[in-house]
Amino acid sequence: MTGPLDGVRILDLTSNFMGPFATLLLADMGADVVKIESTVGDTTRGVGPRRNPGMGAIFLHLNRNKRSVVLDLKSADGNAALQRMSASADVLLYSLRPKSMARLGLAYEQVRERNPRLIYCGAFGFGQNGPYADRPAYDDLIQAAVGMPVLQSRKTGEPTYIATAIADRVVGMAAANAITTALYRRERSGRGQEVQVPMFETFAQFAMGDHLYGHTFIPSIGTSGYARMMNADRRPYRTRDGYLGVNVYNDKHWHRFFVLAGRPEMAQDPRFADIGGRTENIGLLYRFLAEVLETKTTAEWVQILAEADIPAIEMNTPETLLDDPHMKDVGFFIQEEHPTEGLLRSLGIPQQWSEDAPALRYPAPRLGEHSVQVLSEYGFGEDEIEHLVSTGAAYTPETLRI
């Protein structure tokens, strides 16, 4: 066993961030993910620093534990090859718009005829019953559509995107969760099904759980937006020599902090005595917290707050995180030798499993690296594979000249 999803065969027809992150999570859990790529490969092959063409940093982190097959799906032979592969796969995940899948002869109704046990999952921009159904979608667009930049502007003054592909990764996790749930259902029913994971609606569920706020009620009670999260003073706090992450949150935390600050009487102030009052006066309270934390060093506050059982942690940079003592002891950052890219630093699998533990089986693949191997495993004979390659329906690194 190489993980709890060992034996699950997934055809991955996605690129960029969202779909590949979904299949990364599944591949890390042991699924056999076959990444179907065009002759130019996944867009992220060109993103970030790289030692060789097509092997950028972002691609390396999103595509380990997968194998790459290059098929020309617009050619009759390449398309037929994929359709044949889908007949014995467990999952097909795509991120094209559904109409594009239909034009390729890969709509659910068509694929289901060959494989009624298939989990057919689409992760794309918008639900198909709404007026945005055919629009393209990327992380920035979905953040904007859900209103995330407006919420950020209440901290920064100008609408801004969150500095990570948060919509892509949240929706990718949702897609991975949907697929594993559908696989569990199939084990009980014996039947596959179609699952659609639209980015807009999925990310709206993620964000608006915090920020629907006063509009939860009809008629509304107040405005949208969780005030504490949007407050400009919710940030790492400056100490005498650096910055500190502090989350003074519940009644016990605040009452203890008031004592540490030499202001125990604040615990009796109706504005600060309970969470309701603190939420309404959070800006005033956070400014007070900031003033107090500037009086001592980071190390002093870490010790003082730990003794008071108030949550706090030193602020890392991406560089210092690499040397964080906890990360070192749990072995989160891994050094490995890639067959073509040399020594790399990769991210460990964060979960711990008592049985069937997932593992890093192989690094991110070169474009088309496994075309011959995978086609053979899916039942294609040597002559059939040679025909696919010779006609340009399938490609290997040699025929791609990389």
Side-chain angles (χ1 to χ4, degrees), residues 198-216:
M199 290 185 73
F200 187 27
E201 295 94 310
T202 302
F203 192 63
Q205 181 195 45
F206 171 82
M208 297 310 288
D210 292 329
H211 294 295
L212 195 58
Y213 219 55
H215 292 293
T216 300

Side-chain angles (χ1 to χ4, degrees), residues 23-186:
T23 51
L24 170 72
L25 299 176
L26 299 168
D28 279 356
M29 292 299 111
D32 177 25
V33 174
V34 173
K35 186 175 181 68
I36 306 297
E37 299 189 73
S38 71
T39 55
V40 296
D42 189 321
T43 305
T44 60
R45 284 186 175 275
V47 177
R50 69 199 74 105
R51 289 176 176 150
N52 291 295
M55 300 299 283
I58 296 296
F59 178 84
L60 293 171
H61 289 303
L62 283 171
N63 292 284
R64 70 183 180 201
N65 280 340
K66 304 177 190 179
R67 297 187 290 170
S68 172
V69 172
V70 174
L71 292 176
D72 179 2
L73 298 183
K74 294 182 180 179
S75 74
D77 286 345
N79 190 290
L82 180 64
Q83 297 205 31
R84 180 171 161 183
M85 293 170 73
S86 72
S88 59
D90 294 292
V91 178
L92 187 153
L93 174 65
Y94 70 93
S95 57
L96 299 172
R97 281 169 277 187
K99 287 184 179 179
S100 298
M101 292 293 286
R103 284 195 295 270
L104 290 169
L106 294 168
Y108 178 57
E109 293 75 16
Q110 297 164 306
V111 177
R112 179 177 57 184
E113 291 180 4
R114 294 184 293 274
N115 185 357
R117 285 177 53 83
L118 183 72
I119 305 303
Y120 180 94
C121 183
F124 42 77
F126 302 90
Q128 295 301 286
N129 295 325
Y132 302 164
D134 294 331
R135 288 189 178 186
Y138 291 89
D139 184 277
D140 291 358
L141 301 184
I142 296 302
Q143 285 199 46
V146 170
M148 188 60 69
V150 173
L151 296 167
Q152 289 292 100
S153 73
R154 297 176 188 176
K155 294 169 63 75
T156 63
E158 286 288 332
T160 59
Y161 296 123
I162 294 173
T164 187
I166 187 170
D168 278 336
R169 292 183 184 273
V170 165
V171 179
M173 284 191 283
N177 179 66
I179 288 168
T180 52
T181 303
L183 285 168
Y184 174 76
R185 178 60 183 167
R186 190 187 70 177

Side-chain angles (χ1 to χ4, degrees), residues 237-277:
Y237 295 101
R238 187 185 296 276
T239 65
R240 188 180 293 171
D241 62 350
Y243 286 87
L244 186 69
V246 181
N247 195 9
V248 191
Y249 186 72
N250 62 31
D251 290 350
K252 289 182 179 179
H253 295 157
W254 278 112
H255 293 178
R256 291 170 184 164
F257 187 79
F258 293 145
V259 172
L260 292 176
R263 296 289 303 280
E265 73 282 1
M266 290 179 67
Q268 309 306 317
D269 189 320
R271 296 174 296 174
F272 313 129
D274 58 32
I275 194 167

Side-chain angles (χ1 to χ4, degrees), residues 284-317:
L284 179 61
L285 200 55
Y286 278 168
R287 286 190 290 276
F288 167 74
L289 178 62
E291 292 172 1
V292 173
L293 291 175
E294 284 196 38
T295 62
K296 299 182 186 299
T297 67
T298 298
E300 288 172 331
W301 276 122
V302 167
Q303 181 176 347
I304 291 168
L305 294 172
E307 290 172 353
D309 197 24
I310 296 172
I313 195 164
E314 303 92 329
M315 185 183 77
N316 273 313
T317 67

